[in-house]
Amino acid sequence: MSIKITPVANSRISAVNFDNLDFGRTFSDHMFEMIWQNGAWQKPKILPYGPVSFTPALQSLHYGQSVFEGMKAYYVDENTINLFRPEDHHRRLNLSSKRLCVPETDYDTFISGLEELLKIDSKWVPKKHGQALYVRPLVFASEEFIAAKAADKYHFYIITSPVAAYYKEGFSPVSLTTAEGFVRAVKGGTGEAKTAGNYAASFMPAQLAAKKGFTQVLWLDAIENRYVEEVGTMNIFFKINGKLITPELSGSVLNGITRRSVIEIAKNNGIPIEEKRITIDEVFEAGEKGILEEVFGSGTAAVISPVKLIHHQGKQVEIGDGRIGETARKMFDTITGIQYGKIRDTYGWTHPVKIQ
Ligand SMILES: Cc1ncc(COP(=O)(O)O)c(C=O)c1O
């Protein structure tokens, strides 16, 4: 794979305070770019990160053909950066692309482009435990044509951003509320895809939830409004009477990579786990009976996020003593241990990139 690399004349890294990183606001020196036109992906490039110019007729701005991924790269030692499950992230990017009529990309181009990007920007991978380099692949329709049909031209970027440790002073358990009068996704829609519009549509209910003091929305199914699906940017797990339960992939839930990791760790450690439909009433009943032992979210950003409270139609259930439970802790320690190369990766999840 030949990638044309244009390095920056002057790195911006000396202006970055790695002890005070604001999520998603600092970008590394370079970006990967590949353009789809005339029915094929053109030669990939790595070039200085910076503005790209388009006119307001850019098709994705009007019709939302835009898909992305969110993954992380972790500093292991001065020679090695670990990517976590890049093949799974790439597969999901292609699933999202397929649903949105965006052209798919091949894994070889993706991974070799990403490896080159990490090598040239290796100094941007923060070194402290808990910090990481957030990797954002993004494909969008870039034809200048305002007709409601799939575009003929696309831009594919990979940009990277150093991010702080999610938990700086211990875990901060979150509170969730269901969103009356709103739905996130329905089977057959775009809920399984990581596409821009899903997030845009969730901002209003998320703002209403925040106004009432809740951290995020707990989404229920769109048809019966009873079955728990997922949280704003996380999948969800309940530990009820010793068993972990997570909503099955219904066609409207995002197939989280962290979710899959939690399931595999549970299976490997003899922790009972079931993927099944679970209603919000069952969750509240378990709370009333005192058998709702733990609730936690799973996602790339926080890895594991303990939930302290769930609100639904004027009622609330509090979980445990508001601190992280033992299963959530085990999942967090195992996954982060593997990501930072502190625990041997018997699952084959890490993709080490040698930077020298
Ligand atoms: C809607 C939604 N659900 C779940 C997740 C968790 O997925 P992952 O574990 O792959 O980060 C995310 C984050 O990407 C998300 O945006």
Side-chain angles (χ1 to χ4, degrees), residues 89 92 184 194 199 230-235 254 256-259 298-300:
H89 280 281
R92 190 170 67 186
R184 189 192 92 93
K194 226 169 146 52
Y199 296 85
E230 62 180 307
V231 188
T233 53
M234 302 188 292
N235 295 105
L254 192 81
I257 314 284
T258 322
R259 172 187 182 276
S298 68
T300 296

Side-chain angles (χ1 to χ4, degrees), residues 291-346:
I291 53 171
L292 182 60
E293 291 150 7
E294 291 183 44
V295 181
F296 59 88
S298 68
T300 296
V303 181
I304 297 295
S305 195
V307 175
K308 62 178 178 198
L309 179 149
I310 300 175
H311 170 268
H312 172 61
Q313 295 181 344
K315 289 198 302 181
Q316 6 197 82
V317 60
E318 282 176 32
I319 300 110
D321 57 6
R323 283 184 296 182
I324 186 163
E326 59 163 347
T327 313
R329 157 75 64 186
K330 169 151 187 77
M331 294 301 168
F332 181 81
D333 290 346
T334 308
I335 296 173
T336 55
I338 290 172
Q339 288 168 333
Y340 289 97
K342 307 263 188 246
I343 295 180
R344 200 162 66 86
D345 176 11
T346 52

Side-chain angles (χ1 to χ4, degrees), residues 3 46 71-87 107-123 125 133 135 158 160 338-341 345 349-356:
I3 301 176
I46 286 177
M71 56 195 281
K72 280 180 175 171
Y74 303 85
Y75 179 88
V76 176
D77 57 43
E78 58 188 22
N79 256 325
T80 322
I81 296 165
N82 267 351
L83 278 165
F84 188 66
R85 307 193 74 164
E87 214 167 335
Y107 184 64
D108 282 351
T109 310
F110 173 80
I111 196 68
S112 42
L114 184 47
E115 284 183 358
E116 289 304 324
L117 193 60
L118 290 176
K119 283 180 196 166
I120 196 165
D121 281 340
S122 62
K123 290 195 170 56
V125 184
L133 188 72
V135 176
I158 307 177
T160 65
I338 290 172
Q339 288 168 333
Y340 289 97
D345 176 11
W349 290 336
T350 46
H351 179 100
V353 180
K354 293 290 168 201
I355 52 180
Q356 304 196 13

Side-chain angles (χ1 to χ4, degrees), residues 58-67 96 100-102 139-141 149 154 190 194-198:
L58 191 77
Q59 205 157 5
S60 54
L61 297 180
H62 300 260
Y63 302 108
Q65 264 188 297
S66 176
V67 297
S96 304
L100 274 290
C101 272
V102 168
V139 195
F140 58 91
K149 67 183 258 307
Y154 297 84
T190 58
K194 226 169 146 52
T195 181
N198 287 348

Side-chain angles (χ1 to χ4, degrees), residues 186-207:
V186 67
K187 189 173 179 197
T190 58
E192 263 184 340
K194 226 169 146 52
T195 181
N198 287 348
Y199 296 85
S202 74
F203 294 159
M204 186 181 168
Q207 281 180 0

